[in-house]
Amino acid sequence: MTQYILRRFVNYLVLTVIATVFSYIAASLFFYPRRRYLGINPPIPEESVDGILSAYGVNDKDPVLLRTWWWIERIIFEPLSQKLGQDLQGNWVINEIVGRAGTSLRLLLLGALLAALLGVTLGVWGAVRQYKASDQIVSYASFILISTPTFVGGVILMILATNFNQLLGFQMIRFTGSYTPGITGFFPQLWDGFVHLLLPTIALMLFGAAGYSRYQRSLMLDVLGSDFIRTARAKGATRNHALVKHGVRVALIPMSTYLAYSFGTLVAGSAFLEIIFSWEGMGKYGIVAVQTSDVNALAGNVCFTAILLLFSSTLSEVLYAALDPRVRV
Amino acid sequence: MSMNAQQPADRGADLAEDLEPTAHLIAEKADTTASQQEKAHRPISRGRLVWRRLKGKPNFYIGGAIVLAIVAFALFGDLFNIYTQGQQDSFNFNSPPSAQHYFGTDAIGVDLYASMTSALRTSLLIGFLAAPTATLVAAIMGSLAGYLGGPFEMFTNWLINLLLVLPVFYVLMIVSPAIADPSNLPGAIQWLGFMPAWGLLVIAIGLFSWMIMAQIVKNQTKSLKEREYVKAARYMGVSTPTILRRHIIPNVASLLIIDGALGVAGAILAETSLSFFGLGIQAPDVSLGTLLQDGTGAAVSRPWLFVIPASFLIALLTGVALVGDALRDAIDPTSEVNRA
């Protein structure tokens, strides 16, 4: 069992390295950082631009493979904080990741966890009450929520919060940035962090839960029709016992794989929310990197995301093994 | 659900409720056979069966009506409007929806109604072209990998697994500079530069969103490969492309149809997200994403600029999802009641 998980982990680790290197090569091919220094008045001499770009290792006059080789060399030989090079602002990418990771993870982990819990619960509940009014309402609501991109949902929540604040007469829900500067003391800071988390987490949770609940509902419907549920009922198990111990457990097995596959969607969704709510997190760093043709920053961001997904995939393998005894041989 | 507290006597009724769906199925089956007898036992074709089940789904009508209405609006909406896309009305800046500007105008007097029809045409075009492209790639890659096995399957597996650690949206973001400005295309594919931005978006979305479907097609193909008729064809010397076309693809066609239908929503969503962050369609062209981007800043002060594109986007995606869901219910063999 441990060996199985370990093997999968190593497999994902190799994929993470490949994904990062590939994204570096692709970004080097498609990005054109020189544009930042063109069209400036007075014009910068070409040699100076070459010098700046070469210092960052993104000069388009060097062949892409050579640049990639230098980049890999730097990862192997430089000290830890300089491994991924500098972004075009001159900051070390590793330092940026360390500084921003906490902000992103707070939103992402909380949102993903709540989305999974809510989605599974709603899915099971809907399946048990198939075709009843409550199931229909949840179904249509999730169809609409799936169809609402997180950046639209985030803006709608902001409008609602603004109206709510106006109704209250003071700013209860603050939603710009991830914290209010200048607040001191442990509990005020905790409350402030919570208030800022509120809207983006709700947006991410609803978006994720809508998709999960549809999938969980169809899985649960398959299970409800199976013989072992009827057998359990015939042997005298209560309806709840049969549904939870025999039904939900089986219906959760494919769900654990689906959660791993869809975590990437949530990562992208939370990146949109970071932009909408002006959070200085990794998602915003990645999107700004694309907007400013910043190859090193983008590669660092992909590396961070890939490691995140590496852990979520491994976790889903563990979950799979915990739920399905057939894997644990 | 307070079932735990129930008396044993209640359980019988409960069980009957559990069994009810089965009874319902039997009744439906009897119904089907009765109607079939009129046709002198002629077996019903699969297409007709799917169509008949589809006709019984309210989701199909609701979703279909929404999608059709939006497509009609995109195609014919301009007939009722005197403004064209991008045209500025110098006397009406920031005007709310009125008889003159049905959807209002933005800060420089551009008519939102004209922008909406144009944006919807772009977004619909991308959605309806990119999704079948992705499905086609999935069908080819999946069936080839499952049928050939060996190194090609390993290569495909590897590509599919790469998706597990690299979200598709990141891949689209990396290639997006080429969509915004074709001069950013790398040397080897520079010749694609003649394409408009929406064409490049179709290619990008089609090339990078086939993985999950290919995985499913691959697994199906692996089991189909062992069937007698496929083996027979192979031993008779039928070529691989012909076997795939005649025997494998028709067997996974229903999966592909569902994927194609649901993929439309995914493709529109991908395009909208890219354009929203300035990475897709660029001004002066408009798409739902660029309109939403312009409207977001004004969401509170001039709500029509945000609310109208957002409602159209949500309605369109919901409509597509409803049709796709009804189609899945109608095609899915596990809900088959006409096995006789």
Side-chain angles (χ1 to χ4, degrees):
Chain A
M1 154 83 173
T2 323
Q3 210 183 355
Y4 169 77
I5 302 280
L6 213 64
R7 209 167 54 225
R8 299 300 298 169
F9 185 81
V10 171
N11 180 25
Y12 288 132
L13 200 65
V14 173
L15 284 173
T16 304
V17 173
I18 294 172
T20 311
V21 173
F22 260 70
S23 69
Y24 184 86
I25 296 175
S28 302
L29 282 171
F30 281 93
F31 289 7
Y32 189 55
R34 186 179 292 272
R35 176 160 305 126
R36 283 168 63 92
Y37 304 98
L38 298 178
I40 292 176
N41 213 3
I44 307 175
E46 198 175 341
E47 300 81 53
S48 315
V49 177
D50 280 341
I52 300 170
L53 292 177
S54 294
Y56 291 128
V58 293
N59 192 342
D60 48 284
K61 287 183 179 164
D62 302 321
V64 171
L65 286 179
L66 192 64
R67 274 184 273 158
T68 312
W69 175 245
W70 288 337
W71 183 74
I72 293 172
E73 235 176 19
R74 200 179 307 133
I75 290 183
I76 299 170
F77 295 116
E78 295 285 318
L80 180 65
S81 69
Q82 304 180 1
K83 273 192 188 308
L84 290 169
Q86 288 170 294
D87 61 19
L88 291 181
Q89 320 299 328
N91 303 316
W92 295 107
V93 172
I94 295 269
N95 289 347
E96 286 287 312
I97 294 178
V98 171
R100 289 162 179 269
T103 313
S104 290
L105 288 179
R106 211 180 333 160
L107 168 62
L108 195 54
L109 295 185
L110 197 63
L113 193 70
L114 289 175
L117 284 177
L118 185 68
V120 167
T121 315
L122 281 179
V124 169
W125 189 66
V128 173
R129 303 178 59 87
Q130 193 188 10
Y131 298 141
K132 289 188 182 163
S134 50
D135 172 44
Q136 300 275 14
I137 292 169
V138 170
S139 282
Y140 281 111
S142 46
F143 272 124
I144 293 173
L145 285 174
I146 292 173
S147 308
T148 311
T150 49
F151 53 88
V152 173
V155 175
I156 294 174
L157 283 177
M158 279 162 100
I159 299 175
L160 292 180
T162 310
N163 289 338
F164 181 72
N165 283 340
Q166 278 170 354
L167 203 71
L168 240 53
F170 67 99
Q171 270 238 293
M172 198 194 113
I173 306 175
R174 293 162 189 275
F175 48 74
T176 314
S178 52
Y179 61 95
T180 317
I183 287 190
T184 49
F186 179 72
F187 285 107
Q189 272 185 353
L190 194 71
W191 171 249
D192 182 61
F194 169 75
V195 167
H196 279 94
L197 255 177
L198 194 63
L199 294 189
T201 310
I202 292 177
L204 194 61
M205 176 185 78
L206 289 180
F207 177 72
Y212 295 156
S213 76
R214 293 300 305 161
Y215 192 61
Q216 182 69 56
R217 179 177 177 273
S218 71
L219 287 175
M220 192 65 194
L221 280 177
D222 286 349
V223 170
L224 281 183
S226 55
D227 292 338
F228 60 86
I229 295 283
R230 201 181 311 161
T231 312
R233 292 301 314 275
K235 286 169 80 176
T238 59
R239 189 180 149 96
N240 255 9
H241 184 88
L243 285 182
V244 175
K245 291 273 168 171
H246 300 259
V248 175
R249 186 176 166 166
V250 174
L252 273 178
I253 295 172
M255 194 66 192
S256 61
T257 314
Y258 183 77
L259 287 176
Y261 267 102
S262 62
F263 193 63
T265 322
L266 281 193
V267 171
S270 84
F272 303 158
L273 287 170
E274 280 177 15
I275 296 251
I276 293 288
F277 289 97
S278 329
W279 282 41
E280 290 300 327
M282 283 308 291
K284 185 171 180 183
Y285 193 52
I287 292 177
V288 170
V290 180
Q291 286 166 344
T292 55
S293 299
D294 197 333
V295 179
N296 287 338
L298 184 98
N301 195 56
V302 168
C303 181
F304 172 79
T305 311
I307 290 175
L308 210 62
L309 291 177
L310 153 89
F311 279 109
S312 89
S313 302
T314 312
L315 191 69
S316 101
E317 299 277 354
V318 174
L319 205 65
Y320 197 109
L323 287 167
D324 191 346
R326 284 169 299 184
V327 189
R328 275 180 276 161
V329 195
Chain B
M1 285 194 296
S2 58
M3 302 297 180
N4 271 335
Q6 262 182 353
Q7 296 302 310
D10 274 336
R11 283 199 210 149
D14 230 14
L15 198 58
E17 191 190 319
D18 277 356
L19 291 174
E20 202 182 34
T22 327
H24 179 67
L25 286 188
I26 295 169
E28 200 175 310
K29 190 170 167 179
D31 207 35
T32 329
T33 16
S35 71
Q36 254 183 305
Q37 271 165 354
E38 292 166 22
K39 292 173 189 164
H41 294 285
R42 205 174 43 181
I44 185 164
S45 84
R46 183 161 170 75
R48 190 177 288 270
L49 181 71
V50 167
W51 176 239
R52 204 170 62 193
R53 283 208 221 117
L54 208 52
K55 280 196 293 189
K57 305 254 176 255
N59 280 359
F60 174 66
Y61 293 103
I62 302 173
I66 295 174
V67 173
L68 274 184
I70 290 177
V71 169
F73 172 73
L75 291 181
F76 306 114
D78 281 340
L79 297 178
F80 311 104
N81 194 13
I82 53 169
Y83 297 96
T84 52
Q85 187 253 315
Q87 190 186 350
Q88 296 177 12
D89 180 350
S90 347
F91 302 100
N92 284 300
F93 291 170
N94 289 327
S95 101
S98 64
Q100 192 180 359
H101 295 281
Y102 306 125
F103 289 169
T105 59
D106 69 2
I108 53 168
V110 170
D111 184 56
L112 185 60
Y113 186 95
S115 299
M116 276 305 298
T117 52
S118 173
L120 278 171
R121 279 197 296 270
T122 311
S123 293
L124 284 169
L125 192 66
I126 291 170
F128 281 106
L129 285 180
T133 311
T135 306
L136 188 71
V137 178
I140 295 172
M141 293 296 281
S143 59
L144 266 182
Y147 188 76
L148 294 180
F152 189 76
E153 189 190 353
M154 274 173 66
F155 171 71
T156 316
N157 276 347
W158 183 79
L159 278 181
I160 294 169
N161 280 326
L162 212 52
L163 176 83
L164 269 177
V165 292
L166 184 64
V168 175
F169 191 77
Y170 274 75
V171 184
L172 289 177
M173 269 195 344
I174 293 174
V175 301
S176 68
I179 296 161
D181 179 0
S183 71
N184 281 331
L185 282 166
I189 49 171
Q190 196 86 60
W191 52 271
L192 280 173
F194 72 93
M195 285 244 182
W198 60 261
L200 292 171
L201 260 175
V202 167
I203 295 178
I205 295 173
L207 278 187
F208 296 116
S209 44
W210 50 270
M211 284 87 160
I212 291 179
M213 198 58 213
Q215 170 89 328
I216 298 168
V217 171
K218 193 192 76 192
N219 290 339
Q220 287 275 326
T221 309
K222 276 168 110 171
S223 74
L224 285 171
K225 192 181 152 187
E226 301 304 320
R227 296 282 180 85
E228 283 82 359
Y229 59 89
V230 177
K231 279 186 176 166
R234 191 160 68 233
Y235 297 146
M236 278 192 283
V238 180
S239 69
T240 306
T242 314
I243 293 182
L244 290 183
R245 193 162 41 81
R246 276 211 202 129
H247 300 299
I248 307 282
I249 301 286
N251 273 301
V252 292
S254 51
L255 285 174
L256 296 174
I257 292 171
I258 298 167
D259 180 61
L262 290 175
V264 172
I268 295 177
L269 198 58
E271 178 275 314
T272 315
S273 310
L274 280 175
S275 302
F276 184 83
F277 294 106
L279 308 174
I281 303 286
Q282 302 290 318
D285 294 332
V286 288
S287 86
L288 283 177
T290 63
L291 288 183
L292 280 169
Q293 184 198 26
D294 296 342
T296 299
V300 177
S301 55
R302 289 159 285 155
W304 63 91
L305 288 179
F306 175 78
V307 171
I308 292 173
S311 338
F312 268 94
L313 176 66
I314 295 173
L316 175 61
L317 295 181
T318 309
V320 173
L322 286 175
V323 173
D325 191 70
L327 205 58
R328 181 188 0 228
D329 280 356
I331 290 178
D332 189 0
T334 54
S335 67
E336 186 87 50
V337 285
N338 193 36
R339 287 208 194 93

